[in-house]
């Protein structure tokens, strides 16, 4: 099954920001496009707005004037659903209410031919439920674009329970012909991106709620150590706290209130107070004119230790040993050849985040995971109240000697980056095991849909198959609420090898 022919008319129902964006994508690809909105005159206003965007594309030399004029000629606002007769694809982008969408598609079936592909752009509702009442449910599919649709490349092509393979394939190939990067997925709550991304927000909020660190510090660690483009607090302020919380709540409910997807009470209070982020001027941060952005906590300068003792190769943090030597600090090798620890002259230890608490040990400072320890500009440290001041100072001075800013946070298991990445890997592995998508499509979706520096399986290959499960096991031991219990899928994934030589 191939993509729709460019002569085939495409309709978009719902002319808000997303609807206009999808219409522009189809229009620039070369299709005749029809716009419909139930509210009077909105379709015509949307056509004018799209025309203005085409003008800007000409100014930026992304379209020629002739291409713009041809595209405008192919764009037609209509006043009634009957004006969509003869379309080969209808994409819906109306309000996120199941009853509204179901009613719309039932009405569309009376207008379009039985071979017309029907698609919803829903981000949180069940594709199966929306299309369940249709006379021809096999031609119904999810086409989840990301905002802004003309700029972001990812499209999740979602097959509902009744979706025909031919319909899903045609939708996939059409999205690709429009210059997008489609990924195929089954109809699961949140699809790929909104399912796998929940821990990015949830773990940041959890660290904040336990007073482990403030929003500015958590965001800085996620960016400067984890390599994420934005931190969770600034990103949800951009998205809108109400929008982000609504998606989280929808996924949580759809998974029968699974504790792993539990919404944040702190975010709930933010929404209740009307602090929705940039669009209202205040969210986690104050975005009003003249407001000062809070600075992340950064430790004062400290003296580095004269030497460290490497008790093992440091695992995922192995490159630190070279950085320490390059900084002129002696690295002594311990007799043990396994571990993720550095012994300090104080007698204390510096340990890579492993899901345990500093409070469990006599004199331990934990350091957080980094995407790339050489390029990272900030490292988080955590310690207990009884950890010696000398050990904390030597750990701080060590990373400062490597050219890093240091943020000292509370004694939280898994710290910030490590717990976030581990939980993302767990949900990704479980999604693949349940047939939601392939490993490749999950990685593509997370990199392109939310700009992650690595896809979950890319992270896992770098850290080791067993890393996420081991960290989550320790977190579950500390906090046995079920939120951090590794999935059975992750356990199987960690046990898998190219060849199993052992027999029971």
């Amino acid at each position: 099954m191939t993509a729709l022919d460019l002569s085939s008319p495409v309709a978009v129902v719902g002319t808000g920001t997303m609807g206009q964006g999808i219409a522009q994508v189809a229009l620039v690809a070369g299709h005749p496009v029809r716009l419909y909105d139930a509210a009077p005159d909105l379709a015509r206003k949307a056509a004018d707005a799209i025309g203005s965007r085409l003008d800007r594309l000409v100014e930026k030399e992304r379209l020629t004037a002739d291409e713009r004029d041809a595209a405008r000629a192919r764009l037609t606002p209509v006043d009634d659903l009957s004006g969509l007769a003869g379309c080969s694809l209808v994409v819906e982008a109306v309000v996120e209410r199941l009853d509204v969408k179901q009613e719309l598609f039932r009405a569309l079936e009376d207008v379009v031919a039985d071979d017309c592909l029907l698609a919803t752009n829903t981000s949180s509702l069940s594709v199966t439920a929306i299309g369940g009442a249709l006379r021809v449910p096999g031609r119904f599919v999810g086409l989840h674009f990301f905002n802004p649709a003309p700029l972001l490349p990812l499209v999740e092509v979602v097959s509902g329970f009744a979706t025909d393979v031919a319909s899903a394939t045609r939708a996939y190939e059409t999205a690709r012909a429009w210059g997008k990067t489609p990924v195929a997925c089954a109809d699961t709550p949140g699809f790929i991106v909104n399912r796998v991304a929940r821990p990015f927000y949830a773990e940041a909020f959890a660290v904040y709620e336990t007073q482990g660190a403030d929003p500015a510090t958590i965001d800085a660690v996620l960016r400067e150590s984890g390599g994420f483009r934005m931190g969770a607090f600034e990103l949800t302020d951009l998205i809108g706290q109400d929008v982000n919380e609504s998606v989280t709540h929808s996924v949580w409910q759809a998974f029968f209130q699974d504790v792993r997807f539990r919404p944040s009470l702190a975010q709930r209070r933010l929404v209740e107070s009307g602090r929705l982020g940039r669009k209202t001027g205040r969210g986690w941060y104050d975005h009003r004119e003249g407001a000062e952005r809070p600075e992340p906590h950064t430790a004062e300068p400290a003296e580095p230790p004269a030497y460290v003792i490497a008790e093992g190769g440091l695992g995922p943090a192995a490159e630190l040993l070279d950085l320490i030597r390059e900084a002129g600090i002696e690295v002594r090798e311990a007799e043990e050849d396994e571990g993720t620890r550095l012994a300090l002259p104080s007698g204390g230890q510096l340990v890579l985040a492993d899901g345990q608490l500093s409070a469990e040990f006599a004199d331990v400072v934990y350091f957080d995971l980094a995407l790339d320890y050489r390029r990272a500009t900030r490292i988080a440290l955590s310690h207990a109240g009884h950890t010696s001041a000398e050990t904390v100072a030597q750990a701080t001075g060590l990373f400062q000697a490597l050219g890093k800013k240091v943020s000292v946070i509370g004694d939280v298991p898994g710290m910030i980056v490590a717990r976030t990445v581990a939980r993302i890997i767990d949900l990704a592995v479980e999604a693949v095991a349940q047939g939601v998508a392939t490993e490749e499509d999950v990685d593509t979706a997370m990199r392109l849909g939310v700009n992650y520096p690595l896809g979950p399986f890319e992270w896992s290959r770098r850290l080791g198959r067993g890393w996420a499960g081991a960290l989550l096991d320790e977190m579950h031991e500390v906090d046995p609420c079920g939120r951090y219990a590794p999935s059975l899928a992750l356990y199987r994934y960690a046990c898998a090898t190219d060849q199993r030589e052992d027999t029971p």
Side-chain angles (χ1 to χ4, degrees):
M1 183 66 68
T2 58
L4 292 175
D5 188 271
L6 289 181
S7 64
S8 302
V10 172
V12 177
V13 178
T15 58
T17 300
M18 183 58 76
Q20 290 181 30
I22 295 169
Q24 180 180 326
V25 170
L27 192 65
V28 171
H31 289 273
V33 175
R34 302 177 195 175
L35 292 175
Y36 171 76
D37 199 291
D41 298 327
L42 282 190
R44 298 185 186 281
K45 291 178 181 177
D48 291 339
I50 293 170
S52 297
R53 293 194 188 96
L54 296 177
D55 288 339
R56 289 196 288 273
L57 291 178
V58 173
E59 293 171 2
K60 295 177 181 178
E61 299 184 347
R62 295 177 184 171
L63 280 182
T64 67
D66 288 344
E67 288 171 333
R68 174 200 59 197
D69 295 343
R72 278 181 168 170
R74 294 193 302 271
L75 182 60
T76 306
V78 299
D79 297 324
D80 191 88
L81 275 181
S82 61
L84 306 185
C87 286
S88 297
L89 167 63
V90 180
V91 183
E92 162 272 316
V94 302
V95 64
E96 285 284 272
R97 279 181 48 189
L98 180 60
D99 58 336
V100 173
K101 293 179 187 289
Q102 288 176 326
E103 182 180 353
L104 168 64
F105 282 109
R106 281 195 292 264
L108 280 168
E109 277 202 307
D110 294 333
V111 173
V112 300
D114 285 355
D115 62 351
C116 175
L117 194 61
L118 298 179
T120 175
N121 184 59
T122 185
S123 61
S124 59
L125 299 177
S126 165
V127 171
T128 300
I130 297 171
L134 295 180
R135 178 171 47 81
V136 188
R139 44 89 170 265
F140 189 74
V141 67
L143 275 178
H144 181 215
F145 289 77
F146 288 74
N147 193 29
L151 297 180
L152 294 185
L154 185 69
V155 177
E156 292 177 318
V157 182
V158 186
S159 292
F161 187 79
T163 303
D164 292 336
V165 172
S167 298
T169 303
R170 171 154 284 185
Y172 184 98
E173 294 299 335
T174 297
R176 185 159 64 176
W178 290 358
K180 297 301 181 181
T181 302
V183 292
C185 65
D187 184 20
T188 184
F191 310 141
I192 299 173
V193 172
N194 280 330
R195 172 177 176 163
V196 177
R198 292 347 295 160
F200 180 75
Y201 313 109
E203 294 313 308
F205 298 162
V207 172
Y208 167 75
E209 287 173 338
T210 56
Q211 300 187 23
D214 60 279
T217 299
I218 297 169
D219 279 353
V221 172
L222 286 168
R223 288 194 316 269
E224 299 173 40
S225 182
F228 293 95
R229 184 167 296 185
M230 299 181 75
F233 296 90
E234 57 190 342
L235 180 55
T236 52
D237 265 3
L238 179 63
I239 294 169
Q241 297 302 329
D242 53 339
V243 174
N244 181 261
E245 194 216 21
S246 176
V247 173
T248 298
H249 194 271
S250 175
V251 172
W252 176 62
Q253 290 283 17
F255 276 113
F256 307 104
Q257 300 186 356
D258 186 330
V259 67
R260 296 176 302 162
F261 299 98
R262 185 178 60 208
S264 161
L265 180 59
Q267 188 180 39
R268 176 91 291 263
R269 293 292 179 257
L270 205 64
V271 172
E272 289 174 339
S273 71
R275 297 186 178 188
L276 306 182
R278 289 183 179 273
K279 60 187 177 184
T280 59
R282 298 185 74 182
W284 295 111
Y285 298 106
D286 190 341
H287 301 280
R288 294 172 298 182
E289 186 175 354
E292 292 187 10
R293 180 68 177 262
E295 292 294 324
H297 170 75
T298 302
E300 294 295 325
E303 287 295 319
Y307 65 90
V308 296
I309 302 172
E311 298 180 353
L314 291 189
E319 63 185 323
L320 277 177
L321 296 177
D322 287 338
L323 297 179
I324 293 170
R325 293 185 182 98
E326 291 168 15
I329 298 171
E330 181 186 357
V331 177
R332 300 176 184 176
E333 301 289 343
E335 292 183 3
E336 299 179 19
D337 60 359
E338 293 183 2
T340 53
R341 302 180 300 276
L342 292 174
L344 299 169
S346 65
Q349 291 183 326
L350 183 59
V351 183
L352 175 62
D354 59 8
Q356 299 183 86
L357 292 168
S358 293
E360 301 177 60
F361 305 99
D363 195 16
V364 165
V365 171
Y366 275 106
F367 67 97
D368 207 352
L369 181 69
L371 172 67
D372 183 331
Y373 283 99
R374 184 172 292 277
R375 295 184 180 181
T377 57
R378 182 180 299 271
I379 294 293
L381 303 180
S382 68
H383 64 88
H386 63 251
T387 306
S388 75
E390 186 181 9
T391 294
V392 175
Q394 288 180 2
T396 301
L398 174 65
F399 280 103
Q400 289 173 338
L402 307 186
K404 319 298 182 186
K405 296 178 181 177
V406 173
S407 291
V408 181
I409 68 171
D411 188 16
V412 292
M415 302 194 68
I416 297 172
V417 179
R419 69 194 284 167
T420 300
V421 170
R423 289 210 59 223
I424 287 171
I425 290 172
D426 188 20
L427 292 189
V429 169
E430 184 181 58
V432 170
Q434 293 176 351
V436 173
T438 65
E439 292 184 10
E440 293 77 15
D441 277 355
V442 170
D443 277 352
T444 297
M446 302 314 293
R447 282 188 286 100
L448 298 185
V450 278
N451 291 312
Y452 284 4
L454 295 175
F457 292 94
E458 292 173 314
W459 270 110
S460 184
R461 285 190 290 273
R462 176 178 290 199
L463 298 169
R465 275 180 176 264
W467 176 85
L471 185 139
L472 291 175
D473 263 333
E474 295 291 353
M475 290 192 66
H476 180 59
E477 185 75 19
V478 172
D479 184 6
C481 64
R483 179 186 181 111
Y484 301 106
S487 66
L488 176 60
L490 185 64
Y491 178 77
R492 287 173 171 156
Y493 175 81
C495 291
T497 58
D498 292 337
Q499 291 183 335
R500 293 293 295 174
E501 297 181 355
D502 298 336
T503 56

